[in-house]
């Protein structure tokens, strides 16, 4: 390549200067979005997936079991995808709720992130046209990724591997597209903390079955260990999801624990089936997710919910204590 490997630190400046010349649609856009002008296989995600598919085709594993982790970058910014995926989502047909204008009068200020400015938004101002452009681009990236994942699934089925291969599809976090006037990640809101999690286990999971039970990403390790008949190390914070995979009606965890950073301080939250409680250095949040999934009404200061608030505070204290003791055990 003209500038040498991008993995070499000395070449990165040249690559950084070169990138805008091939992604001209992102000029003047901080995160960047728009049709890429490329085919699926020209995107790095398309290349990654096709590399794994070619490995399946070549069958270098022979008759041995194998493990593959296929990392996919989209829908991280810039929101670039082939034009065909943008065409699926006409901007004037997108539906979303405007952010509640007075929400931040009732919520801790440390619960917010200021990434909205990088996306070109003014805090507290609903910019409908710009929001539609970003949402369209985000959806286009999601559909592009769906198509790439489909290639992997097709490869597994074509080579007779689907019926004896465990498949896990997940992500590291959700994403905010203007909810609460927030953009990006690193908050404790449901649409930021919740992740997709789809698991296929031959002769165990039932196609199209859905569970509303709570699980955490730390549960994947003990789950895969059990499914592969491997003894998991003692002291893991997660627990196996195998009972839920066997029967989707089985209950999940009583609560899920989430932490995000604000400089040297932390925001911490616990989520039960019904409630989400968050504690920040400058305040608390409490949302009834059965009635207010969008988390528009903070009930932490409402006297009639004081008992629930105390219960959730106790849940958080126990979660913190458990996590701390397990970290000490692992050391």
């Amino acid at each position: 390549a003209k500038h040498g490997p991008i993995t070499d630190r000395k070449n990165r400046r040249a690559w950084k200067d070169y990138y805008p010349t091939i992604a001209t649609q992102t000029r003047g856009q901080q995160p960047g979005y728009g049709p890429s002008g490329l085919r699926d296989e020209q995107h790095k995600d398309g290349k990654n997936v096709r590399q794994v598919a070619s490995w399946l085709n070549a069958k270098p594993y022979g008759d041995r079991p194998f493990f593959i982790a296929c990392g996919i970058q989209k829908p991280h910014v810039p929101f670039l995808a082939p034009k065909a995926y943008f065409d699926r989502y006409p901007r004037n047909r997108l539906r979303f709720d405007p952010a509640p204008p007075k929400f931040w009068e009732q919520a801790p200020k440390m619960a917010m992130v200021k990434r909205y400015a990088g996306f070109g938004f003014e805090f507290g101002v609903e910019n409908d046209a710009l929001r539609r452009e970003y949402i369209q681009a985000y959806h286009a990236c999601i559909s592009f990724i769906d198509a790439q994942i489909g290639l992997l699934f097709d490869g597994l089925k074509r080579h007779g591997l689907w019926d004896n291969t465990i498949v896990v599809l997940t992500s590291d976090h959700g994403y905010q597209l203007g909810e609460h006037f927030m953009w990006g990640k690193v908050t404790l809101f449901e649409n930021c903390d919740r992740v997709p999690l789809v698991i296929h286990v031959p002769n165990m999971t039932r196609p199209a079955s859905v569970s509303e039970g709570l699980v955490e990403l730390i549960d994947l390790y003990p789950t895969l260990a059990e499914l592969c008949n491997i003894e998991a190390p003692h002291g893991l914070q997660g627990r196996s999801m195998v009972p839920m995979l066997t029967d989707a009606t089985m209950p999940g965890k009583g609560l899920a624990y989430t932490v995000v950073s604000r400089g040297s301080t932390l925001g911490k939250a616990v989520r039960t089936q019904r409630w989400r409680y968050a504690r920040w250095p400058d305040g608390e949040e409490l949302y009834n997710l059965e009635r207010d999934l969008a988390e528009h009404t903070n009930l932490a200061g409402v006297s009639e919910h004081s008992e629930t608030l105390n219960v959730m505070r106790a849940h958080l204290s126990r979660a913190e204590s458990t996590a701390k003791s397990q970290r000490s055990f692992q050391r």
Side-chain angles (χ1 to χ4, degrees):
K2 178 180 179 182
H3 300 302
I6 196 170
T7 52
D8 289 352
R9 185 176 295 275
K10 66 179 185 298
N11 299 329
R12 291 179 184 174
R13 178 73 254 179
W15 277 108
K16 187 174 181 179
D17 292 339
Y18 175 68
Y19 184 76
T21 70
I22 60 172
T24 55
Q25 68 273 53
T26 67
R27 288 177 181 169
Q29 303 171 353
Q30 183 73 8
Y33 62 90
S36 64
L38 303 175
R39 300 187 304 274
D40 286 25
E41 65 271 19
Q42 292 176 308
H43 280 258
K44 60 183 177 182
D45 288 325
K47 293 178 180 178
N48 284 351
V49 167
R50 284 161 178 77
Q51 185 175 17
V52 173
S54 67
W55 189 86
L56 293 174
N57 291 334
K59 300 183 180 180
Y61 51 88
D63 295 326
R64 296 171 299 172
F66 60 83
F67 171 84
I68 297 178
C70 181
I72 294 177
Q73 195 263 353
K74 293 301 176 215
H76 283 84
V77 294
F79 297 150
L80 302 177
K83 184 176 182 299
Y85 298 104
F86 279 78
D87 293 341
R88 297 184 184 187
Y89 302 101
R91 289 196 292 268
N92 63 347
R93 294 175 60 183
L94 296 174
R95 293 184 178 183
F96 51 85
D97 295 324
K102 296 184 178 181
F103 173 81
W104 289 104
E105 295 178 7
Q106 52 161 354
K109 298 302 182 289
M110 291 189 74
M112 70 169 63
V113 286
K114 297 183 179 179
R115 186 76 172 105
Y116 58 83
F119 280 77
F121 291 90
E122 181 182 351
F123 178 70
V125 177
E126 186 69 51
N127 186 333
D128 182 83
L130 183 58
R131 190 176 180 186
R132 288 179 184 277
E133 291 188 28
Y134 275 117
I135 291 178
Q136 178 197 42
Y138 188 86
H139 287 358
C141 288
I142 294 292
S143 290
F144 164 65
I145 291 307
D146 282 349
Q148 309 318 299
I149 292 170
L151 293 178
L152 285 183
F153 291 179
D154 289 344
L156 290 170
K157 293 173 182 177
R158 185 167 57 252
H159 296 294
L161 296 168
W162 184 256
D163 292 330
N164 68 349
T165 302
I166 300 166
V167 179
V168 178
L169 171 64
T170 190
S171 180
D172 52 349
H173 56 79
Y175 211 78
Q176 294 161 138
L177 296 169
E179 299 88 355
H180 303 99
F181 298 108
M182 298 291 100
W183 286 84
K185 55 184 180 178
V186 199
T187 73
L188 293 174
F189 292 115
E190 179 76 358
N191 59 356
C192 188
D193 292 354
R194 186 168 181 154
V195 301
L197 180 60
V198 182
I199 302 178
H200 161 75
V201 183
N203 302 316
M204 180 178 290
T205 52
R206 185 168 56 86
S209 59
V210 177
S211 172
E212 294 296 329
L214 291 177
V215 298
E216 300 172 289
L217 290 180
I218 56 174
D219 299 328
L220 283 174
Y221 186 174
T223 300
L224 293 174
E226 181 175 349
L227 291 173
C228 295
N229 296 314
I230 298 171
E231 184 177 354
H234 295 292
L236 294 180
Q237 295 183 42
R239 80 178 195 192
S240 175
M241 293 182 279
V242 168
M244 299 174 70
L245 298 177
T246 305
D247 179 0
T249 65
M250 291 288 287
K253 288 183 166 179
L255 59 87
Y257 175 51
T258 312
V259 175
V260 296
S261 62
R262 290 290 183 271
S264 60
T265 63
L266 296 174
K268 303 177 181 182
V270 283
R271 159 80 150 85
T272 66
Q273 203 68 45
R274 181 178 182 181
W275 301 93
R276 182 178 73 81
Y277 166 74
R279 186 180 69 218
W280 300 90
D282 63 336
E284 298 173 293
E285 296 174 275
L286 179 68
Y287 302 98
N288 184 336
L289 299 179
E290 290 184 353
R291 298 181 179 179
D292 180 26
L293 186 59
E295 299 172 296
H296 286 172
T297 305
N298 181 10
L299 301 173
V302 179
S303 59
E304 66 184 88
H305 295 288
S306 59
E307 183 176 345
T308 299
L309 187 64
N310 287 330
V311 169
M312 296 301 290
R313 284 169 175 164
H315 281 325
L316 180 57
S317 295
R318 282 193 294 271
E320 289 179 293
S321 177
T322 300
K324 184 178 180 180
S325 63
Q326 288 175 327
R327 287 194 298 270
S328 298
F329 174 84
Q330 290 165 355
R331 285 196 292 269

